[in-house]
């Protein structure tokens, strides 16, 4: 019975250990699904604590696998957990967990990249964007094979308030390869500053919580792992369409060791490249000889705004990709060469 004055908290009853379950169901890790399991429940508890209080929360867990992290989430006083797992072999073990936590665990056998999370939770979970975040969390020891793709997709969802963010500023607590975690949270002028740093930080408060050595996983991956927490900002630091921001940031970072104007140039067709770049740098008031890693988010904002201005006047500019122009030019050059050879004969 709960001590007087204290709320009774749900705890899972005694169960086979995660290691025993792996043996019981013969769950050999599949490399192509980036399966590296966490069997130490103190570690999974520590990951779950990074999400903050989960009392009565709704949680979506990505890739529960044998369910170690799922157990820690269930023990944190949540209202319910929805798990999305691609590998059928884990479903029986998850069903066992579901029986031990009646009404608390929903199992979806599917791919997180296609799963419609905007339909996964009741509407009353929602909180207006400008208010505190909803009591809804995404937590996952992500498969490395999808983690970067997934976070870019979710960042775009944040910008458009779609997917898991139809409920408001849903928080995320996720693992990444340590280097990716460092890029996501890198500040101006740091060596790890990259496209991911800008894309994540213009939309979210991002915190690199702690690192987990590779040896804590079974099987041991080649790399260490970082746990990162994201809270979407009420007001994004750049107020331009996600695709436009992504294009500007991607182009600027493609020559990360060169002066930033070199990347900016590639936003424009060759015929007007030099003049347009000069005009854009002046309009944004950004020093063209700064390196991409030295640019602050307000400077990226100024660049995105200047580029958006050009795109309003010349809408075809937004679809321009310098690699495509280069490809067509090379193709034409090759065709001319072939024609010359035939004429010479
Ligand atoms: N959460 C477990 C743990 O911490 O021990 C397993 C983590 S393991 C790194 C990644 C899990 O994600 C595996 O169970 C794998 O089958 C699953 N997975 C891989 N790709 C997935 C996808 N596209 N959608 C859903 N689950 C996926």
């Amino acid at each position: 019975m709960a001590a007087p004055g204290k709320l009774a908290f749900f705890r899972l009853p005694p169960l086979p250990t995660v290691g025993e379950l792996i043996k019981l169901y013969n769950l050999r890790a599949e490399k192509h699904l980036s399966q590296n399991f966490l069997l130490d429940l103190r570690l999974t508890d520590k990951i779950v604590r990074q999400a903050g209080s989960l009392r009565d929360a709704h949680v979506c867990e990505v890739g529960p696998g044998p369910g170690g992290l799922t157990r820690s989430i269930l023990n944190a006083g949540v209202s319910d957990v929805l798990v999305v797992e691609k590998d059928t072999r884990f479903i029986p073990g998850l069903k066992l967990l579901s029986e031990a936590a009646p009404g608390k665990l929903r199992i979806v056998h599917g791919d997180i990249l296609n799963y419609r999370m905007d339909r996964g939770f009741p509407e009353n979970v929602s909180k207006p964007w400008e208010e505190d975040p909803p009591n809804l969390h995404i937590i996952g020891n992500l498969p490395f094979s999808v983690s970067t793709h997934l976070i870019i997709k979710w960042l775009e969802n944040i910008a458009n308030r779609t997917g898991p963010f139809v409920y408001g500023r849903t928080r995320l607590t996720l693992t990444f390869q340590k280097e990716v975690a460092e890029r996501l949270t890198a500040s101006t002028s740091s060596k790890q500053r990259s496209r991911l740093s800008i894309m994540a930080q213009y939309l979210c408060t991002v915190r690199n919580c702690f690192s987990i050595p590779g040896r804590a996983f079974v099987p041991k991956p080649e790399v260490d792992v970082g746990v990162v927490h994201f809270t979407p900002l009420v007001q994004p630091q750049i107020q331009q369409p996600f695709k436009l921001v992504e294009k500007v940031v991607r182009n600027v970072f493609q020559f990360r060791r060169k002066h930033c104007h070199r990347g900016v140039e590639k936003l424009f067709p060759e015929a007007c490249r030099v003049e347009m770049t000069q005009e854009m740098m002046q309009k944004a008031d950004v020093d063209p000889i700064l390196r991409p890693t030295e640019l602050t988010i307000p400077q990226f904002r100024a660049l995105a705004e200047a580029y958006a201005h050009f795109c309003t006047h010349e809408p075809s500019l937004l679809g321009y990709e310098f690699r495509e122009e280069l490809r067509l030019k090379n193709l034409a050059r090759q065709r001319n060469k072939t024609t010359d050879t035939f004429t010479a004969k």
Side-chain angles (χ1 to χ4, degrees):
M1 215 163 76
K6 284 201 176 163
L7 284 173
F9 238 170
F10 172 84
R11 298 294 297 185
L12 280 165
L15 286 166
T17 64
V18 180
E20 283 164 351
L21 271 189
I22 290 176
K23 277 200 194 118
L24 186 67
Y25 293 109
N26 193 18
L27 303 172
R28 224 167 16 89
E30 292 284 351
K31 218 172 173 178
H32 75 281
L33 286 175
S34 310
Q35 291 177 345
N36 305 99
F37 308 131
L38 277 172
L39 309 188
D40 181 347
L41 292 190
R42 281 167 311 178
L43 254 180
T44 52
D45 282 350
K46 189 171 173 188
I47 296 176
V48 167
R49 280 200 299 276
Q50 307 310 313
S53 166
L54 290 185
R55 176 78 63 97
D56 299 327
H58 302 274
V59 176
C60 174
E61 188 199 348
V62 186
L69 193 56
T70 322
R71 293 180 187 211
S72 293
I73 297 170
L74 285 167
N75 279 332
V78 297
S79 164
D80 56 87
V81 190
L82 166 79
V83 294
V84 183
E85 173 58 59
K86 192 170 176 178
D87 187 342
T88 30
R89 297 176 308 144
F90 293 114
I91 306 298
L94 291 167
K95 281 194 175 143
L96 195 81
L97 205 52
S98 165
E99 281 158 23
K104 285 193 177 284
L105 182 61
R106 286 185 289 151
I107 305 165
V108 172
H109 173 224
D111 187 330
I112 191 65
L113 293 169
N114 309 323
Y115 179 66
R116 292 282 309 260
M117 217 184 291
D118 54 345
R119 297 180 185 162
F121 295 91
E123 244 173 58
N124 62 10
V125 170
S126 302
K127 277 278 191 77
W129 191 265
E130 293 70 23
E131 288 184 13
D132 284 344
N135 203 3
L136 168 63
H137 295 255
I138 299 177
I139 300 179
N141 173 18
L142 294 185
F144 291 144
S145 54
V146 297
S147 57
T148 308
H149 186 77
L150 196 57
I151 194 62
I152 289 285
K153 177 179 146 100
W154 279 338
L155 289 171
E156 183 163 11
N157 285 158
I158 291 174
N160 299 328
R161 303 185 188 180
T162 53
F165 308 96
V166 293
Y167 304 101
R169 295 186 294 121
T170 303
R171 286 161 287 181
L172 308 113
T173 308
L174 304 169
T175 60
F176 294 89
Q177 186 177 326
K178 188 167 173 247
E179 289 70 20
V180 177
E182 283 169 355
R183 272 183 239 143
L184 282 162
T185 52
S187 47
T188 313
S189 291
S190 87
K191 237 173 52 198
Q192 288 84 2
R193 186 81 157 172
S194 66
R195 177 178 73 111
L196 269 185
S197 331
I198 311 302
M199 297 310 290
Q201 294 169 31
Y202 96 81
L203 289 161
C204 298
T205 303
V206 196
R207 179 165 53 89
N208 193 346
C209 308
F210 69 99
S211 300
I212 310 176
R215 68 183 131 78
F217 295 81
V218 178
K220 175 181 171 299
E222 300 289 303
V223 292
D224 293 339
V225 167
V227 179
V228 183
H229 182 78
F230 304 76
T231 308
L233 292 165
V234 171
Q235 196 76 269
Q237 293 202 61
I238 305 177
Q239 307 229 344
Q240 293 297 334
F242 183 87
K243 291 262 190 271
L244 183 143
V245 180
E246 199 277 330
K247 185 179 178 190
V248 171
V249 175
R250 172 166 41 87
N251 275 273
V252 169
F253 271 102
Q254 73 184 309
F255 305 114
R256 52 179 291 119
R257 288 173 198 282
K258 305 242 162 79
H259 295 153
C260 66
H261 72 91
R262 290 291 305 279
V264 170
E265 279 173 13
K266 297 293 192 269
L267 289 165
F268 302 105
E270 206 179 346
C272 57
R273 197 162 275 165
V274 177
E275 314 84 78
M276 297 288 270
T277 304
Q278 234 174 31
E279 206 181 320
M280 176 152 155
M281 301 310 291
Q282 270 167 10
K283 206 170 179 48
D285 193 21
V286 172
D287 184 348
I289 64 164
L290 286 172
R291 314 269 165 195
T293 50
E294 291 171 326
L295 296 178
T296 61
I297 292 193
Q299 284 170 321
F300 273 104
R301 180 197 312 141
L303 289 171
E305 280 170 5
Y307 189 60
H309 174 83
F310 289 130
C311 292
T312 313
H313 289 273
E314 183 47 70
S316 66
L317 194 55
L318 199 54
Y320 170 78
E321 286 294 341
F322 88 96
R323 284 186 202 284
E324 184 57 14
E325 185 180 22
L326 205 65
R327 192 183 70 81
L328 294 176
K329 230 167 104 178
N330 285 340
L331 214 66
R333 203 175 291 144
Q334 245 160 15
R335 264 200 211 114
N336 286 344
K337 240 194 225 161
T338 322
T339 324
D340 289 348
T341 321
F342 275 125
T343 336
K345 278 181 184 169

